[in-house]
Amino acid sequence: MSMPRGIAILGSTGSIGRSTLAVIALHPEAFKVSVLGAFNSWQAIVEQAQAFHPHTVVLVDAEAAARARAALRDCGSATLVESGEQALADAVSADNVAIVMAAIVGAAGLQSTLAGVRAGKRVLLANKEALVMTGRLLMDEVRRAGAQLIPIDSEHNAIFQCMPGGYLPGDAAGGVTRVILTASGGPFRTTEAARLPHVTPNEACAHPKWKMGRKISVDSATLMNKGLEVIEATLLFGLAETQVDVVVHPQSVVHSLVEYADGSMLAQLGAPDMRTPIAQALAWPGRMASGVQSLDLVAVARLEFEPPDHLRFPSLGLARAAARAGGTAPTLLNAANEVAVQAFLERRLNFVGIATVIDKVLQRLDSSPVKALGDVLDADAAARRLAVSLIELSVGAFA
Ligand code: NAD
Ligand code: MG
């Protein structure tokens, strides 16, 4: 029997992180948790460390790391506790890690995701923002380092599963004419336009089909999540923006489709549960149990498809425009969205204000070519500064 493969879980205390640990717990002979990383949720990570005995725990926040260190020492644990972003990147690159689950939310995950790629690991990519903001730069690093980038986002994982045998993201997709991303439509799929300025963060986070972190839940409600996913798909699968279609599919059973030159359409179906793509990516090219119940098609009964409504949900169009503009446009879009979503969650901006802020940032800041990581970081910072000031200036108008 072969040795268990070491895994680093970045964002282990989040929704994807916890689902990953649930899958790994089913296969102790195949995987060993080497690294757990998160921002400051020290109690949760201490519990995880007691259950999975990682070599290293990293909490980016120093004070939280000190608390976790004391708690683990008190119970006689041998786990090392580190703090800071650099410690996270170092832990991911270490020899005891073969697989990296990149599941930190937002641009905060970029450095550690990049570290996993540069170290040539198998990187399971949930952190779509890291890819959207860096664009081809990240895909170039994947190729250079000989890393394997496997999508965890359910749509992209579905597409990956429908690609020809042996296909890996970054390769040209032979015979593929387009892909179709499905979208649940989010909690406001049938909400009247006039009510959207008044919806609350809790309403936005009450997703009908998926239980997720608050940032991606708001993105699903605005359809920006689908916009980020369009950009993600162009990069992973080497497609033009016009080759990535979106259909709203309220049942969330068909996770996405690939269309081939001969007219064949291949789809991946399953219950809406992230443990399925997580298990697929961990076991690839094999298969293993995920703990997900099998899907009862008769109970589902109907599969519906409708076009997205660009009038009520302008964010999808903004993301498509950024994909076409290229360069730093997706970086600007992502940064403005992160700032606007945070302001919405803190009730400093209303729901429709999110798209307004992103639109203004994209109008005022020109996209420029991306030659090095510095170009990405500069654009990200400029978009954040502008978004913050736009939100401050318009508090009365939005709140
Ligand atoms: P979440 O909010 O539940 O968890 C986020 C995790 O990131 C936590 O462990 C948190 O401690 C960590 N984190 C946050 N800021 C950090 C920082 N500055 N430094 C280090 N760690 C930090 O989020 P989630 O729903 O699990 O989503 C994680 C990522 O996966 C996102 O990029 C999201 O778009 C993507 N994703 C999630 C789902 C889902 O079903 N939840 C589906 C597809 C893609
Ligand atoms: Mg998705």
Side-chain angles (χ1 to χ4, degrees):
M1 215 174 92
S2 58
M3 291 274 288
R5 305 187 74 192
I7 174 159
I9 306 178
L10 313 176
S12 67
T13 59
S15 163
I16 294 287
R18 284 180 278 115
S19 293
T20 305
L21 285 170
V23 173
I24 287 175
L26 302 175
H27 304 279
E29 71 303 333
F31 304 98
K32 148 127 198 56
V33 177
S34 298
V35 178
L36 293 173
F39 183 66
N40 66 0
S41 34
W42 67 273
Q43 281 149 318
I45 218 165
V46 163
E47 278 179 31
Q48 293 178 340
Q50 286 169 330
F52 290 92
H53 311 290
H55 180 273
T56 309
V57 157
V58 183
L59 284 168
V60 168
D61 183 75
E63 210 182 296
R67 287 172 189 256
R69 193 175 295 120
L72 284 169
R73 198 193 301 121
D74 285 351
C75 65
S77 160
T79 296
L80 296 173
V81 181
E82 313 274 9
S83 76
E85 266 205 77
Q86 188 56 48
L88 199 55
D90 292 344
V92 162
S93 316
D95 286 342
N96 61 356
V97 172
I99 302 174
V100 178
M101 168 54 82
I104 290 174
V105 58
L110 175 60
Q111 194 187 338
S112 49
T113 301
L114 201 53
V117 166
R118 285 181 172 155
K121 311 291 188 189
R122 172 179 296 193
V123 177
L124 313 192
L125 185 75
N127 180 206
K128 66 190 90 183
E129 297 93 343
L131 176 59
V132 168
M133 72 186 287
T134 48
R136 281 200 208 108
L137 223 57
L138 188 74
M139 297 310 295
D140 289 346
E141 295 275 359
V142 168
R143 201 164 310 121
R144 189 171 316 143
Q148 296 172 333
L149 191 65
I150 303 193
I152 291 299
D153 218 347
S154 57
E155 298 76 4
H156 306 73
N157 183 269
I159 291 167
F160 172 55
Q161 294 195 45
C162 296
M163 286 294 197
Y167 177 87
L168 266 173
D171 296 351
V176 171
T177 46
R178 68 177 174 140
V179 298
I180 303 167
L181 302 178
T182 53
S184 69
F188 306 132
R189 184 174 63 87
T190 59
T191 304
E192 282 174 54
R195 232 190 73 68
L196 289 179
H198 311 291
V199 299
T200 65
N202 281 343
E203 288 175 294
C205 291
H207 197 276
K209 293 288 173 194
W210 301 92
K211 177 106 193 58
M212 312 179 287
R214 284 173 84 77
K215 192 267 179 181
I216 185 177
S217 294
V218 175
D219 286 346
S220 300
T222 59
L223 290 200
M224 179 52 91
N225 183 49
K226 217 45 58 178
L228 297 175
E229 290 181 358
V230 167
I231 301 172
E232 182 184 10
T234 63
L235 294 162
L236 287 172
F237 308 120
L239 299 169
E241 177 263 333
T242 50
Q243 291 176 289
V244 183
D245 280 350
V246 172
V247 293
V248 173
H249 166 48
Q251 290 80 18
S252 296
V253 161
V254 177
H255 296 308
S256 278
L257 308 91
V258 174
E259 185 187 68
Y260 285 89
D262 59 9
S264 296
M265 274 188 180
L266 302 194
Q268 184 256 356
L269 284 73
D273 188 318
M274 292 306 293
R275 289 176 297 171
T276 293
I278 290 167
Q280 189 275 343
L282 283 169
W284 184 86
R287 293 277 179 176
M288 67 184 197
S290 65
V292 174
Q293 284 208 331
S294 91
L295 179 68
D296 180 349
L297 284 173
V298 173
V300 174
R302 236 159 236 96
L303 300 178
E304 295 167 304
F305 302 95
E306 57 189 60
D309 180 351
H310 289 280
L311 287 177
R312 282 181 305 142
F313 304 107
S315 289
L316 177 54
L318 293 172
R320 284 199 178 278
R324 288 192 299 272
T328 54
T331 319
L332 300 169
L333 172 101
N334 177 67
N337 181 57
E338 285 192 27
V339 171
V341 168
Q342 187 63 31
F344 169 71
L345 286 171
E346 292 167 5
R347 308 199 77 149
R348 291 181 284 111
L349 181 69
N350 78 12
F351 184 77
V352 296
I354 298 172
T356 309
V357 167
I358 299 164
D359 191 17
K360 286 196 171 150
V361 167
L362 288 171
Q363 281 178 31
R364 295 204 198 161
L365 299 179
D366 289 328
S367 147
S368 50
V370 174
K371 296 200 193 75
L373 194 59
D375 302 328
V376 166
L377 300 177
D378 289 348
D380 177 83
R384 279 171 201 274
R385 278 195 302 273
L386 179 55
V388 165
S389 68
L390 287 168
I391 292 163
E392 274 174 8
L393 284 174
S394 53
V395 205
F398 286 127

